[in-house]
Amino acid sequence: MEQIILGSMIIVLGIYVFKFYPFEKGNVMKLVIAAIFIILTAICKRLAIMIPLFGAESLKIGFEYIPLMIAGFFLSPSYAFLVGLCSDLIGLILVPTGFPFLGFTLGTILVSVIPSLVKEHLQKVSQKVVQYIVMGLILILGIGASCYIYTMDQVTISQTVHLMTLQEKITLISICLVLTAIFIILIMVLKRQIHDQEAKEFSTWILCVVLVEVIVTLCLTPLWLDMMYKIPFVISLCIRVIKECAVLPIEIFIGYTLIKLMKRVFIRLERK
């Protein structure tokens, strides 16, 4: 029953993106770009490391989200949907994990589709509004993560229970708040040093990364693991909140650096 519901959600999402953002006829370049991102995602997926929780491999450390999000950032939602779906199917072939669970397929598709939809809907929004949205979301995320860490009494990894000390809580909370402050200050500094269009692009990318991590990593993935392996949602979420302190800055800065590099490459290809 769960698989049927999830499959229906994937189909509905596909109908939506292909109806309102159809493929561009004769645009071979975008299909080539989509294929490149699918290959890059497959390579990153192969290099990912799985860490067992409660005896099941359920915490992934890798960078496969970066090419998926960049694909959504450059391509329209229909192409992004195709990239996410094909990346998941190829990943299942390269790294078999038993019977495929469509929840993870939906998650992979959303990683690529969310940035594409965000960029489409923010095209007519001013740079200031995008900046305020990003700063507000980052502030809420940082304070929320800090409050959540403060309420944690223990962390369970596999069969090992680690009791959280006050000093460890203060350290993790400090990291969250410092990262939050750095992001907000960086956005404000960039606004003064670069033109509005590039500042808007960087703010949009941050918003894409934060939304993907909140929706897919912190909300959906723990839900799928609870449904599949009966790993408690709260405990799975706890591990991922700590993981995000390190992953978010990496995805934001490495991802945006790659975006700037790829824009230069695409401009040269179009000139040729």
Side-chain angles (χ1 to χ4, degrees), residues 196-268:
D196 287 348
Q197 187 59 38
E198 190 173 348
K200 180 181 176 181
E201 184 179 69
F202 183 63
S203 298
T204 303
W205 171 249
I206 295 176
L207 182 60
C208 293
V209 174
V210 172
L211 286 177
V212 165
E213 290 298 335
V214 170
I215 295 172
V216 179
T217 303
L218 297 181
C219 294
L220 294 182
T221 301
L223 179 61
W224 308 148
L225 294 174
D226 194 357
M227 293 167 62
M228 288 185 68
Y229 304 114
K230 305 304 178 184
I231 298 176
F233 181 92
V234 175
I235 293 178
S236 185
L237 176 62
C238 162
I239 300 297
R240 280 166 176 77
V241 167
I242 298 173
K243 171 192 168 187
E244 289 308 305
C245 292
V247 170
L248 267 176
I250 293 173
E251 290 182 341
I252 288 171
F253 295 112
I254 291 181
Y256 188 66
T257 301
L258 292 174
I259 285 173
K260 292 174 67 177
L261 178 63
M262 295 187 73
K263 281 181 68 177
R264 294 174 185 173
V265 174
F266 292 154
I267 290 173
R268 290 180 181 178

Side-chain angles (χ1 to χ4, degrees), residues 39 49-50 59 62 65 81 88 91 97 112-113 118 127 132 136 149 152 163 171 181 237 240 247 270:
I39 295 170
I49 300 173
M50 296 296 293
L59 181 62
Y65 277 13
F81 183 93
D88 184 74
T97 55
S112 190
V113 170
V118 169
Q127 189 273 334
Y132 291 146
I149 291 172
M152 287 172 19
L163 297 177
T171 301
L237 176 62
R240 280 166 176 77
V247 170
E270 288 176 358

Side-chain angles (χ1 to χ4, degrees), residues 30 33 37 69-76 115-116 119 201 258-264 266:
K30 286 196 174 182
I33 294 172
F37 280 118
M69 288 188 289
I70 294 177
F73 196 80
F74 276 110
L75 303 171
S76 65
S116 184
K119 193 172 181 183
E201 184 179 69
L258 292 174
I259 285 173
K260 292 174 67 177
L261 178 63
M262 295 187 73
K263 281 181 68 177
R264 294 174 185 173
F266 292 154

Side-chain angles (χ1 to χ4, degrees), residues 80-147:
F81 183 93
L82 181 66
V83 170
L85 180 61
C86 292
S87 297
D88 184 74
L89 295 176
I90 293 174
L92 288 173
I93 296 173
L94 295 177
V95 188
T97 55
F99 188 78
F101 183 69
L102 294 180
F104 293 114
T105 303
L106 176 61
T108 304
I109 293 172
L110 287 175
V111 171
S112 190
V113 170
I114 288 174
S116 184
L117 290 175
V118 169
K119 193 172 181 183
E120 288 285 341
H121 286 85
L122 290 182
Q123 284 183 355
K124 297 180 180 180
V125 179
S126 67
Q127 189 273 334
K128 274 190 175 181
V129 174
V130 176
Q131 178 182 329
Y132 291 146
I133 292 173
V134 171
M135 290 171 63
L137 186 59
I138 289 175
L139 189 61
I140 292 171
L141 187 63
I143 294 174
S146 300
C147 293

